[in-house]
């Protein structure tokens, strides 16, 4: 995946990036190489169809709540379509709100109007363990701010975190008293 995507059009998916499974339980016995090749061709065609649906909307970044297997990852990479997998439900919702995108539960529902938009999406790596974080900037809905507090252990970062959670409501109350009712602060 490239480290920076400019003028990002983000497809926000909550559907798994895999071939559809039957609704009822079936037992599938593959007894020959031909049957295996037929199944492999079917899966590859489904993956290509999914990637084509995403590309047809004009998306240049995919954010998916579920994972995808190696073949899907390979096809996304071949089509120069960066993707992020295993993004949590609350984070997906926040990304959708910030980018004015719609969460899409099925590939068939994906259209260009449902794509989220951001001016810049970049990956940051930091620390001695090279932790990575995805930063989405220049969003359409910029009423959110993230304060990232990091420390070597809980004792080190607990004081700055506590101080931050005290000064934010005070600052918001001074700027606009009516905003104080909509303020949410999350802390570990």
């Amino acid at each position: 995946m490239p480290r920076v995507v400019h003028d990002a059009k983000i497809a926000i998916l909550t559907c798994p990036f895999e071939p559809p499974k039957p609704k009822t339980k079936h037992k599938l016995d593959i007894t020959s190489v031909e049957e295996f090749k037929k199944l492999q061709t079917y899966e590859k065609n489904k993956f290509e169809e999914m990637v084509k649906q995403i590309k047809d909307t004009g998306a240049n970044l995919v954010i998916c709540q579920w994972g995808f297997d190696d073949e899907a990852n390979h096809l996304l990479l071949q089509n120069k379509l960066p993707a992020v997998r295993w993004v949590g439900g609350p984070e997906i919702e926040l990304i959708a709100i910030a980018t004015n995108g719609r969460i899409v539960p099925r590939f068939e529902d994906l259209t260009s109007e449902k794509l989220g938009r951001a001016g810049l999406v970049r990956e940051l790596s930091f620390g001695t363990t090279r932790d990575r974080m995805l930063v989405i900037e220049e969003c359409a809905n910029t009423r959110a701010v993230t304060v990232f507090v990091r420390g070597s252990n809980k004792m080190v970062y607990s004081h700055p975190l506590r101080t931050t959670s005290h000064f934010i409501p005070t600052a918001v109350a001074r700027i606009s008293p009516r905003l104080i009712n909509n303020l949410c602060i999350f802390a570990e």
Side-chain angles (χ1 to χ4, degrees):
M1 179 176 152
R3 301 280 183 227
V4 177
V5 176
H6 294 279
D7 190 29
K9 294 174 198 77
I10 307 168
I12 306 168
L13 304 173
T14 57
C15 52
F17 210 102
E18 58 189 28
K21 292 187 174 33
K23 298 288 184 204
T24 59
K25 295 190 179 203
H26 293 295
K27 184 177 180 184
L28 181 64
D29 287 327
I30 298 175
T31 56
S32 68
V33 174
E34 292 80 27
E35 290 175 350
F36 178 76
K37 295 249 186 224
K38 192 186 292 185
L39 179 65
Q40 189 178 28
T41 304
Y42 169 77
E43 285 187 351
K44 186 174 183 190
N45 290 340
K46 282 295 181 184
F47 283 134
E48 287 173 349
E49 182 183 319
M50 291 174 187
V51 170
K52 184 179 181 319
Q53 285 176 328
I54 293 171
K55 290 292 270 185
D56 288 347
T57 62
N60 58 3
L61 177 65
V62 178
I63 295 182
C64 189
Q65 184 175 14
W66 302 104
F68 35 86
D69 68 0
D70 292 337
E71 183 151 0
N73 199 19
H74 174 71
L75 283 171
L76 288 166
L77 196 60
Q78 265 187 338
N79 287 282
K80 296 183 179 21
L81 194 59
V84 182
R85 61 182 172 179
W86 298 116
V87 179
E91 288 82 9
I92 285 269
E93 290 175 6
L94 291 173
I95 291 169
I97 290 168
T99 61
N100 279 342
R102 299 288 169 257
I103 298 172
V104 180
R106 287 178 300 277
F107 280 96
E108 301 82 41
D109 297 342
L110 188 60
T111 62
S112 60
E113 294 82 34
K114 294 182 180 178
L115 297 178
R117 306 237 186 301
L120 179 67
V121 178
R122 60 191 170 107
E123 180 183 329
L124 292 179
S125 61
F126 49 87
T128 55
T129 58
R130 309 309 294 160
D131 294 331
R132 293 182 297 175
M133 178 173 67
L134 193 68
V135 179
I136 302 174
E137 298 176 323
E138 301 170 23
C139 298
N141 188 3
T142 57
R143 293 181 295 171
V145 174
T146 301
V147 178
F148 185 62
V149 180
R150 189 163 189 263
S152 59
N153 59 36
K154 194 167 187 169
M155 187 181 84
V156 170
Y157 73 80
S158 64
H159 181 67
L161 189 64
R162 196 170 42 252
T163 305
T164 304
S165 65
H166 289 309
F167 85 75
I168 289 176
T170 306
V172 170
R174 291 194 181 267
I175 295 168
S176 177
R178 62 188 166 82
L179 289 178
I180 198 72
N181 295 331
N182 297 327
L183 182 67
C184 295
I185 297 174
F186 298 97
E188 283 186 10

